[in-house]
Amino acid sequence: MRILYAEDYEGMSFNAAKVMASVIINKPDAVLGLATGSSPVGMYEDLADWYRKGIISFRQCRSVNLDEYVGLSPEHNMSYAYFMRENLFKNVDIDMKNVNIPSGLAEDGDAECARYDAVIDSLGGIDIQLLGIGNNGHIGFNEPADHFPLGTHRVTLTDSTIDANKRFFASRDDVPRFAYTMGIKPIMQAKKVLLVASGEGKAEILEKAFFGPVTPEVPASILQMAEDLVVCADRAALSVIMKKHPECVEK
Ligand code: F6R
């Protein structure tokens, strides 16, 4: 595990964008596992900027997103499909035929989960999986549980996740209660895992996830066993790790 320190959100985004860009440059048809949320927005901006400058191209890349809210159409402005279009896809040259996101409108949830696992398999696995981390340690929407769910599944979002995500919606009642999420297996099988975290709100959970016991009660803790994990975080998010394990942080 490498933990890369940055002073602030911009620095964290820049460090993360460099890790992602290096994978794309070395393998132009890389399979990118992508995430939504506040943490990767700056990284996506840097990548789009480097695309505009001709430094990287997404033309041959394939992508699989981590998750989608059940019940939201791709046109809904709170859907993750919409988020991805606005924050990355419309700003780069990715071929939308190569973009994969679980369908929030699927009528048969089990069939949708099986379809999504088959999509990931058909791509031959993920070259780099980008992750944020929830305040409760979730990755994707793999919420704290008594086991690590392996495949794509439909989850009931926890109160803590609904509270964290209500900032994007008109009211708490508008936050969907269910989501589809990729499971832990393709995340752990990814050749590289890149986790981004910013702000003091993530400081405790980052320390718990990467220096505490590996347990499904803290889903991100499984990443301690990932083959190649890079954590890009800012000073605020690293404040607890810097206090307890300063030798583990690369400045
Ligand atoms: C998003 C996702 C979530 C977020 C996490 C952190 O696709 O799967 O796990 O990465 O909730 O969200 P932010 O970055 O908004 O703090």
Side-chain angles (χ1 to χ4, degrees):
M1 164 171 68
R2 294 183 67 195
I3 303 178
L4 305 187
Y5 173 97
E7 264 310 300
D8 52 18
Y9 182 83
E10 283 67 39
M12 172 209 74
S13 302
F14 184 70
N15 284 344
K18 280 195 293 188
V19 173
M20 179 73 76
S22 138
V23 170
I24 296 170
I25 289 166
N26 284 304
K27 188 174 179 196
D29 64 346
V31 177
L32 311 177
L34 299 177
T36 63
S38 309
S39 309
V41 170
M43 187 200 92
Y44 289 147
E45 280 169 10
D46 285 339
L47 290 172
D49 187 39
W50 297 343
Y51 158 67
R52 281 189 292 269
K53 291 180 172 145
I55 299 168
I56 52 172
S57 167
F58 292 78
R59 199 169 49 81
Q60 298 177 58
C61 289
R62 284 85 45 82
S63 74
V64 272
N65 258 82
L66 281 169
D67 38 20
E68 181 59 285
Y69 288 118
V70 169
L72 298 194
S73 78
E75 286 71 41
H76 192 291
N77 65 359
M78 288 297 123
S79 73
Y80 286 169
Y82 183 92
F83 175 100
M84 288 309 302
R85 273 201 310 281
E86 290 302 307
N87 286 286
L88 183 67
F89 298 151
K90 76 171 193 194
N91 301 325
V92 299
D93 60 345
I94 198 161
D95 183 341
M96 289 304 285
K97 283 203 300 290
N98 291 332
V99 159
N100 298 283
I101 302 179
S103 166
L105 292 185
E107 277 175 18
D108 180 340
D110 289 344
E112 178 57 12
C113 293
R115 181 193 73 81
Y116 207 63
D117 282 335
V119 166
I120 300 168
D121 283 348
S122 73
L123 295 171
I126 296 168
D127 288 297
I128 179 166
Q129 178 62 56
L130 172 67
L131 299 170
I133 182 169
N135 299 326
N136 61 3
H138 73 211
I139 47 175
F141 276 136
N142 292 281
E143 297 281 36
D146 57 6
H147 67 291
F148 290 108
L150 294 182
T152 303
H153 56 289
R154 186 182 194 266
V155 279
T156 305
L157 300 178
T158 61
D159 283 344
S160 128
T161 297
I162 292 168
D163 282 335
N165 288 6
K166 70 177 185 227
R167 68 191 194 276
F168 300 114
F169 291 82
S171 78
R172 191 180 193 279
D173 287 345
D174 292 327
V175 185
R177 274 15 186 192
F178 304 99
Y180 294 118
T181 183
M182 191 189 283
I184 295 294
K185 189 171 160 192
I187 296 174
M188 288 302 288
Q189 287 178 335
K191 295 205 181 85
K192 190 185 263 300
V193 177
L194 168 62
L195 186 137
V196 284
S198 166
E200 213 172 319
K202 301 287 169 74
E204 289 287 347
I205 193 65
L206 273 189
E207 198 275 335
K208 216 168 150 186
F210 297 121
F211 296 91
V214 175
T215 163
E217 284 160 27
V218 182
S221 64
I222 191 77
L223 300 174
Q224 290 180 36
M225 297 180 173
E227 215 167 280
D228 181 359
L229 168 67
V230 183
V231 177
C232 291
D234 60 15
R235 179 157 51 100
L238 287 174
S239 54
V240 177
I241 293 182
M242 292 289 283
K243 246 184 239 135
K244 295 194 178 171
H245 321 276
E247 71 288 355
C248 297
V249 178
E250 288 179 45
K251 278 210 175 183

